[in-house]
Amino acid sequence: MATPKSRMTQKRRAWPWIALAALVLLALGWWYVRDSFSGNAEAGTAYAARVACSCRQVAGRSLEDCEKDKLDGMEMISLSEDEEARSVTASVPLMASATARYKEGYGCVLDPWED
């Protein structure tokens, strides 16, 4: 029969392996879904930038008010504005970013994507 002290030692030895296994599973899961997340982030930021730019430059609303126009599921997208360039940038940290600029006669147009 194992003593309480030996059981405690066994538990202490096991937790690093359990933590390592959990990290490996998380990494494999991220590897599997990363393209889907990245694609959704790129599409979402492009949409948010274009809509927010139009909201600011065409409708003349404040950026804070334009935040209300984001759809459900777009909570991670943050908006920032460059008033001098008449542009709005939408971004998801560490994943995607897109900028839309107001061009006279065209409205808000997305900047070209960089590969």
Side-chain angles (χ1 to χ4, degrees), residues 51-113:
V51 169
C53 177
S54 295
C55 175
R56 282 291 297 128
Q57 302 301 323
V58 177
R61 294 166 46 203
S62 69
L63 189 61
E64 293 77 29
D65 194 40
C66 296
E67 289 270 356
K68 299 175 190 173
D69 294 344
K70 291 193 296 189
L71 303 173
D72 290 340
M74 297 177 79
E75 292 82 12
M76 289 185 67
I77 297 175
S78 62
L79 300 175
S80 60
E81 176 181 25
D82 182 343
E83 290 183 33
E84 190 173 305
R86 297 185 78 182
S87 68
V88 173
T89 300
S91 61
V92 174
L94 303 174
M95 292 195 80
S97 178
T99 300
R101 298 178 192 284
Y102 180 78
K103 293 187 178 182
E104 194 66 43
Y106 294 95
C108 288
V109 179
L110 287 170
D111 285 354
W113 287 353

Side-chain angles (χ1 to χ4, degrees), residues 15-70:
W15 81 263
W17 292 106
I18 294 169
L20 179 64
L23 285 172
V24 167
L25 288 174
L26 282 172
L28 288 173
W30 175 252
W31 183 263
Y32 181 73
V33 299
R34 78 186 189 298
D35 288 337
S36 174
F37 283 154
S38 178
N40 288 338
E42 288 176 5
T45 55
Y47 174 82
R50 224 277 304 136
V51 169
C53 177
S54 295
C55 175
R56 282 291 297 128
Q57 302 301 323
V58 177
R61 294 166 46 203
S62 69
L63 189 61
E64 293 77 29
D65 194 40
C66 296
E67 289 270 356
K68 299 175 190 173
D69 294 344
K70 291 193 296 189

Side-chain angles (χ1 to χ4, degrees), residues 1-11:
M1 180 173 211
T3 65
K5 193 172 190 173
S6 67
R7 277 190 232 135
M8 185 72 98
T9 303
Q10 289 173 345
K11 287 183 182 178

